[in-house]
Amino acid sequence: MRKRYSWLLLVFVMALVAASCSDSSDDTTTTAASGGDTTTTTAAPSGGDDTTTTTAAPAAEMVTGRGVDADAKVITLGLLADLTGLFAPLVIDITDAQKVYWDNLNAAGGIDGWTVELVIEDTNYDVEQHLEKYEKIRGDVVAISQSTGSPTNVAALDLYKEDSMLVIPLSWYSGWAIPDFDGGVMLEQNTNYCLEALNVLDFINEMGGTTIALATFPGDYGQDAAAGVKIGVEHYGMELVYDGEAAVIPGQDQTPVIQGIVASGADWTFMTTNPSIGAEILAGAVQAGHQGAFTGSVPTYNPALLDSPAGPLYDAVYYQSGYNVGWGESTPGNDEMMAAMAEAFPDRRPSDSFIVGWNEAITMRKVLATAIGNLNLTPEGVVVAAGSVTDVDFGGAAPNQSYSGTPNDYVQRSLAMFDPDLALYTAAGGAAQTLSQADATTGSVLVKDFFVGSAAEEHDFSAACYEL
């Protein structure tokens, strides 16, 4: 750079010397052109044409930092994924969808010639392991395009802030949309547990439900959803007849929770657990004679439950919420994802979780494209780019998402509701279905397209619903 500037200065000085030695009637005018170029106009002797010379300004250069190889034009992203823990059956599919997305993008030329490499670590949904794995990769990645869990990400948040590490959390805690809490480094996807619960309560209200039982994990996952349920109960004039907030402890006997639900006689039970524990509670309550319906936060359900002995119960009494459309639903974005996944894994079974991972990658791609356009691929530049992104387009697979403005302006409030249909799922082949199968389905039938209920619409979202 310095040599280029010296050369330009020499040219400029020589032009001035030449002008001073010319006929006294000659005039020379130098002006700055757009983009930093320099334009020099020299008046010719009488009867001649003026001469104009434009010297281009030095081209702006990309600024890079950790996790970016500027010479090879390679961007390295991290994934801190639960591949063996409580949510592994969902997260494996989410992670594989990201891998396919980036592989396909790289094969098509990347982002303006920049390709993306992934560093994937298994955290086992364990806080200590999550911190260890983050320490392992923090110096090698510019951002993290998927990080599983609420408690794990909360534990690492101060480190993320220290590193200016942009993170897409596989967690829908409402605090991730509040920059005063997360320092602007957490890039939430879809709606959050709190607003999700408000919309589910709106759906229950439409279905005639008036009494609610609540059963959740402790911590920001379960209790953020519980906060939303309680706001919704008050908004819709319902009654909370069993309060099992934070009562569901993984690895412990769930009999007290089951007994609480049954004794309450609730019209509806809202659960925020993982799929296996949710199934234990639902089956236990129904077998004990409970007549009410069940629903819960998105991670509580897995379509693979239709393969289990609890499958008929889910078909009969469960309604699932959804941040995205389901596998088999035709939208431009979903069709692209399904074709790519079928080509990569033709013999895998359908999963709605593929959509989650694919959409995470779409969001990160737009952030990186914005940072590249800003000529700043430093970690700080990526965080700044994320905060300016508007209208991430998922091609109809989920509502578009923005991150610019105030939390109350940009927070995603939309949700869809589905009904697991065991007969549909079984007719398509059940667990034997493959991604290459034209009629493959997870059995999730859309019963209410993306909507925003009155409680979610009116909620003043200026702080997390459950504050840590």
Side-chain angles (χ1 to χ4, degrees), residues 1 7 39 41 48 102 143 157 161 165-166 172 201 239 254 260 279 352 357 365 367 382 417:
M1 259 335 236
W7 180 81
T39 298
T41 302
W102 294 115
L157 182 57
K161 292 178 183 179
M165 182 72 76
L166 184 73
W172 293 269
L201 268 286
E239 181 182 2
Q254 305 306 327
D352 295 338
R365 175 186 180 175
V367 170
V382 171
M417 294 298 298

Side-chain angles (χ1 to χ4, degrees), residues 158-200:
D158 285 343
L159 295 175
Y160 299 157
K161 292 178 183 179
E162 177 184 329
D163 294 342
S164 296
M165 182 72 76
L166 184 73
V167 177
I168 294 181
L170 187 57
S171 156
W172 293 269
Y173 170 53
S174 62
W176 301 144
I178 305 296
D180 287 345
F181 170 72
D182 69 11
V185 299
M186 305 299 284
L187 198 66
E188 78 283 359
Q189 289 279 100
N190 315 116
T191 191
N192 56 61
Y193 300 129
C194 177
L195 293 177
E196 173 189 12
L198 291 179
N199 281 321
V200 172

Side-chain angles (χ1 to χ4, degrees), residues 1 81 168-169 205 230 240 260 326 385 430 447 457 460:
M1 259 335 236
I168 294 181
N205 184 58
K230 291 176 181 180
L240 186 65
V447 294
E457 183 176 12
D460 179 14

Side-chain angles (χ1 to χ4, degrees), residues 225-282:
V229 169
K230 291 176 181 180
I231 295 169
V233 164
E234 182 176 354
H235 178 90
Y236 293 108
M238 299 173 174
E239 181 182 2
L240 186 65
V241 292
Y242 170 68
D243 187 354
E245 177 180 348
V248 182
I249 311 298
Q252 293 191 9
D253 182 7
Q254 305 306 327
T255 299
V257 175
I258 295 169
Q259 291 174 338
I261 292 169
V262 174
S264 75
D267 297 332
W268 286 77
T269 297
F270 188 103
M271 299 187 295
T272 304
T273 65
N274 73 327
S276 61
I277 295 177
E280 178 185 352
I281 292 171
L282 183 149

